[in-house]
Every structure is written in structure tokens, then in C-alpha cells.
Amino acid sequence: MDERTIAGLLGTLVIAALAVLGAYGFGTGYLLDSPGAFFAPTIGVLVVAVLAVGALIASGIGSKRWRANPYW
């Protein structure tokens, strides 16, 4: 394995661990503790955030120059 593969694997594991910890924290600290009036706005913000990120990903994937960009 070269260094880029190891770095990519480590980065993916860190992101996955943070996602699991965030979901666990959200579930135990917010969903189970009866948030009351803030539940609907929070869900709305999460939906908008997911849609915005999904739109950005879709626009990047749809680009013909996605891999031609020197950034990658």
C-alpha cells in the first residue's frame, strides 16, 4: 500500500467514526430527551442541509471536467 491509499483509508475511517458518534449523540441527546418546540425546526434544517450537500455532489458528478480539474 502506498501512502495515499493509507491516508485515504484513515480519512474515511475518521469520517465514518465521526458520523457514527454524531448520529449516536443526536439520537441519545436530542431524540430521546423530548426536544419539544425545537424538534420540527431541527428536522427541517437537517433536510435542507442534506438537500444542499446532495445538490453540490450531484453538480460535481455531472461536470464533464470533474476529474480533469488539477485539484484532483
Side-chain angles (χ1 to χ4, degrees), residues 22-68:
Y24 175 75
F26 180 77
T28 59
Y30 192 78
L31 293 179
L32 298 179
D33 285 341
S34 180
F38 296 115
F39 183 72
T42 300
I43 298 302
V45 167
L46 289 174
V47 167
V48 169
V50 167
L51 289 175
V53 170
L56 290 171
I57 291 170
S59 68
I61 290 173
S63 173
K64 293 179 182 177
R65 293 181 358 152
W66 185 57
R67 287 291 202 179

Side-chain angles (χ1 to χ4, degrees), residues 13-24:
L13 290 174
V14 168
I15 290 171
L18 288 174
V20 168
L21 286 173
Y24 175 75

